[in-house]
Amino acid sequence: MPDRFRFPIPQDLDWLALSPIIVVVATGIVALVLEMLRHKRNNAAIVGVTIVGLLAAGVLAAIQAGEPAKEILAGTFLRDRFGSVVQVLMVAACLLSVLFSEGYLRE
């Protein structure tokens, strides 16, 4: 196969930099599956999975705050201190919205 038809596989893939995003997406998928399988009026499993996933994503994003800036995925993703702080703030906002909305979802 000629080289022009080969898809370039990035060699500098930093899974730690992508881990908060991957954890949030995986948590959302698990929560949606639990929503399909749950009994009416019982949100404990969904809320528990969501809280654990968001806390894990927040910890992973906070760990990255001290890392030096780095570009990954051929320069399409930049991991730096500002991005890590914004990720932590977004995860905290999501966590607060889940905690405050749990009582509303029971109704």
Side-chain angles (χ1 to χ4, degrees), residues 15-94:
W15 288 103
L16 181 63
L18 295 174
S19 60
I21 297 168
I22 293 170
V23 168
V24 169
V25 169
T27 301
I29 291 170
V30 170
L32 285 173
V33 170
L34 286 175
E35 175 69 23
M36 291 188 303
L37 301 175
R38 76 177 176 98
H39 299 316
K40 306 287 185 205
R41 308 271 183 211
N42 187 3
N43 294 325
I46 299 169
V47 171
V49 166
T50 304
I51 289 172
V52 169
L54 289 174
L55 285 174
V59 168
L60 288 169
I63 289 171
Q64 294 178 27
E67 299 281 328
K70 181 180 180 183
E71 289 183 358
I72 58 171
L73 293 175
T76 60
F77 190 83
L78 175 66
R79 180 192 69 193
D80 61 351
R81 186 173 303 211
F82 176 74
S84 296
V85 170
V86 170
Q87 280 183 344
V88 169
L89 290 174
M90 290 178 65
V91 166
C94 290

